[in-house]
Amino acid sequence: MAAFLFLAQLLFLGPLVVAAHTDTCQQLRNATEGNFFVQVMPRMYQANTTYQVTIQKGTNTTANETRALYVLQALSQWNKSLGEWAGGDSMANCSSVDTAILNSTQSAANWTSPGTDVPFVVIRAYIIFPEEPAEFRALTLSRAPRPTLPPPTTPNSVPTVQGSSLFLAVLQLPLLLATSTLLS
């Protein structure tokens, strides 16, 4: 009986969840630039790294903000979904882009970058307000600059001569010790 009730709930609630995510995804298409901030730590892109992505509310908040949804996406230079989201209230696939959906009591989720080394990743954040247009912000994580090596220099003959003298002195030490033992 419990299994039957579970299946009935799944069949009934499943379409509602899909419809809610479809509605959420469609609201992203008409989003305008918002007055909020996106913070990502660490700030530089590295493969196989977990980032904390936080949405900070702007100065002009609305009464509907307590019922707002926060939506996060990570995209490559070719607008392809990258990495994995964790810590959201639910997940969706909006036009083949993995999307983390957070409720109004959450303000952060974790994103783990893929194992591939890409030049940059765009983190897109949205706030969807009930009965208002969605707002978005984007932040680009660039790959950390690779350290450059100093140009090779020509070897200096003085250190080589000094090194050679030290080497000879070390080789001559047992001979000097043996000679001093024989003379005493």
Side-chain angles (χ1 to χ4, degrees):
M1 182 66 172
F4 175 74
L5 289 174
F6 175 74
L7 285 174
Q9 288 175 341
L10 186 61
L11 289 173
F12 177 71
L13 293 177
L16 292 177
V17 171
V18 170
H21 285 204
T22 301
D23 187 42
T24 299
C25 293
Q26 290 195 7
Q27 287 181 296
L28 302 182
R29 294 179 188 181
N30 299 323
T32 59
E33 189 165 359
N35 184 26
F36 63 95
F37 305 97
V38 181
Q39 183 178 26
V40 180
M41 294 306 286
R43 296 277 303 161
M44 296 294 202
Y45 176 80
Q46 291 181 328
N48 293 321
T49 302
T50 299
Y51 296 82
Q52 183 175 26
V53 181
T54 305
I55 296 175
Q56 297 174 346
K57 299 173 185 172
T59 53
N60 53 342
T61 59
T62 67
N64 288 333
E65 207 158 317
T66 58
R67 297 183 299 145
L69 291 178
Y70 300 118
V71 178
L72 298 169
Q73 299 175 331
L75 299 157
S76 72
Q77 63 193 24
W78 302 283
N79 283 332
K80 301 287 183 194
S81 188
L82 282 177
E84 289 185 26
W85 289 100
D89 193 35
S90 62
M91 295 295 297
N93 186 313
C94 297
S95 301
S96 299
V97 176
D98 292 335
T99 303
I101 301 173
L102 293 76
N103 63 44
S104 62
T105 62
Q106 297 172 307
S107 62
N110 290 326
W111 175 72
T112 302
S113 62
T116 56
D117 195 18
V118 297
F120 64 89
V121 173
V122 176
I123 302 292
R124 290 195 301 205
Y126 298 86
I127 299 179
I128 300 174
F129 300 103
E131 301 151 11
E132 292 182 36
E135 295 181 359
F136 83 96
R137 297 290 288 189
L139 180 93
T140 301
L141 292 177
S142 297
R143 182 174 49 206
R146 297 187 180 173
T148 57
L149 298 175
T153 58
T154 57
N156 189 342
S157 60
V158 173
T160 305
V161 169
Q162 289 174 345
S164 298
S165 299
L166 179 63
F167 179 72
L168 288 174
V170 169
L171 286 178
Q172 291 176 353
L173 185 62
L175 183 61
L176 289 173
L177 290 175
T179 306
S180 73
T181 305
L182 287 174
L183 293 175
S184 47

